[in-house]
Amino acid sequence: LRIYINRIVENNNIAKGHIIVLEDITFIKSLEKMRRDFIANVSHELKTPITSIKGFIETIQENNIKDEKTLKRFYGIISEESDRLSRLVNDILVLSHLENKGGLNEKSESLDLNREISQIFDILKLSAEAKGMTLKLDSKEQIVHTFNPDEFRQMMINLIDNAIKYSEINQSVLVKISQDKEEIKIDVKDHGYGIPEKDVSRIFERFYRVDKSRSKEKGGTGLGLAIVKHIIYNNHGSIEVNSIPGTGTVFTVHLPKIRD
Ligand code: ADP
């Protein structure tokens, strides 16, 4: 609680009374704590690949390693960890940009969503095919919506990429778009590992992973869904998750047509 006290005096300097304002700053404090936690987490997440890169370079130098096979393996790890570092920095920048701009969306344009999804499928086709997976689009009609194109792509890539990452081989991912008078609805459905009930409410938190080593192995940064959530909230929408462990997951994005 923050307290402000102001004395009210008359012309002759005699106190007439006091104004006491009590302000509940729980919310501000919790925001400050979230920010502190985020910085601590970011530092930790960045340190891990840096330590690994440094460690392998020092091992090569100090032991004067010349064996081709060992060198190749070590350079492979250094390269992977550098990619990881770069993905992390990129996601942190995207998230901080989304936070700073809030609801402002001056770069919005009219998007044909079916066309956008097909283009995103082209980008993700290689990683899907590498796992023998297929990407399917189910849409009955042309659906047009005003949205920032970079953000729409980022949101859909993160959701579809997760659907590919967290599925066994030879499965399919289905994206379904539909609309009614009020809203546009986009489902991203996979037949993957699913998410345990106790974790569902936490997966949109920054750096929260159900299985940390699995996420790391798949190249995850732990920020993908936090970015998705931000983009949707900046556009006055919402997202829900229905998941059955061992069966699959459906993420449903709701985008309102009329903004308040
Ligand atoms: P990451 O970079 O780890 O994928 P995200 O923020 O995108 O980070 O997702 C957070 C966590 O939510 C993931 O680590 C994973 O455990 C879980 N998750 C996200 N999407 C799915 C999905 N389609 N199926 C199963 N688990 C998922």
Side-chain angles (χ1 to χ4, degrees):
L1 210 64
R2 190 182 278 157
I3 305 172
Y4 302 92
I5 303 176
N6 213 348
R7 208 161 71 101
I8 305 167
V9 289
E10 283 184 329
N11 291 345
N12 54 9
N13 224 2
I14 297 171
K16 217 177 150 194
H18 290 86
I19 293 180
I20 302 175
V21 179
L22 305 176
E23 188 188 5
D24 182 356
I25 55 168
T26 322
F27 180 65
I28 298 170
K29 282 279 165 208
S30 78
L31 276 186
E32 279 171 10
K33 186 179 179 313
M34 265 168 68
R35 203 155 279 275
R36 274 200 310 274
D37 288 351
F38 179 57
I39 290 169
N41 283 334
V42 163
S43 315
H44 175 76
E45 296 284 338
L46 291 176
K47 249 187 185 162
T48 319
I50 291 172
T51 308
S52 167
I53 292 169
K54 203 164 178 301
F56 278 99
I57 291 176
E58 281 173 4
T59 310
I60 293 171
Q61 284 175 335
E62 280 162 23
N63 300 301
N64 199 15
I65 294 176
K66 295 250 163 43
D67 172 53
E68 286 268 328
K69 239 174 143 183
T70 315
L71 273 178
K72 206 171 162 197
R73 192 164 66 84
F74 283 9
Y75 285 138
I77 298 171
I78 292 170
S79 164
E80 262 170 40
E81 294 291 308
S82 314
D83 287 345
R84 189 176 155 61
L85 201 54
S86 135
R87 277 196 305 273
L88 256 168
V89 172
N90 187 56
D91 278 358
I92 291 165
L93 288 177
V94 169
L95 202 53
S96 115
H97 175 71
L98 284 169
E99 266 189 355
N100 289 339
K101 79 181 195 91
L104 284 176
N105 240 335
E106 66 273 6
K107 287 202 192 124
S108 291
E109 39 182 274
S110 195
L111 300 181
D112 174 342
L113 299 192
N114 297 344
R115 227 181 100 212
E116 292 295 323
I117 305 274
S118 301
Q119 285 172 358
I120 291 162
F121 278 2
D122 288 340
I123 297 169
L124 295 173
K125 216 157 69 192
L126 274 183
S127 57
E129 279 171 2
K131 285 181 81 175
M133 292 180 69
T134 45
L135 306 174
K136 294 182 198 155
L137 173 63
D138 175 354
S139 176
K140 304 272 175 290
E141 56 183 323
Q142 189 195 37
I143 297 179
V144 176
H145 190 55
T146 306
F147 215 94
N148 175 319
D150 293 335
E151 291 181 10
F152 185 78
R153 268 166 230 150
Q154 175 92 64
M155 169 180 87
M156 291 311 300
I157 287 177
N158 288 6
L159 290 173
I160 301 169
D161 187 45
N162 276 351
I164 299 170
K165 276 193 319 203
Y166 301 111
S167 290
E168 297 283 2
I169 54 165
N170 300 332
Q171 299 290 348
S172 62
V173 175
L174 176 71
V175 177
K176 187 175 171 198
I177 320 180
S178 56
Q179 65 177 342
D180 59 24
K181 260 196 247 135
E182 267 97 43
E183 64 166 26
I184 288 164
K185 202 172 97 178
I186 307 172
D187 289 316
V188 179
K189 179 178 182 183
D190 67 49
H191 305 280
Y193 307 129
I195 304 161
E197 207 184 325
K198 66 172 178 38
D199 297 300
V200 168
S201 62
R202 302 204 57 193
I203 52 172
F204 292 95
E205 288 173 25
R206 295 147 181 202
F207 298 121
Y208 189 84
R209 289 105 156 179
V210 177
D211 181 332
K212 197 160 181 178
S213 59
R214 180 185 277 165
S215 157
K216 207 181 157 200
E217 175 204 310
K218 311 262 183 197
T221 61
L223 293 174
L225 288 179
I227 290 173
V228 167
K229 188 182 89 177
H230 253 284
I231 294 175
I232 293 173
Y233 284 6
N234 280 358
N235 286 279
H236 314 279
S238 61
I239 183 161
E240 67 188 84
V241 190
N242 282 298
S243 188
I244 304 174
T247 301
T249 306
V250 186
F251 282 87
T252 305
V253 178
H254 299 270
L255 301 172
K257 282 187 169 170
I258 307 153
R259 312 253 163 99
D260 15 280

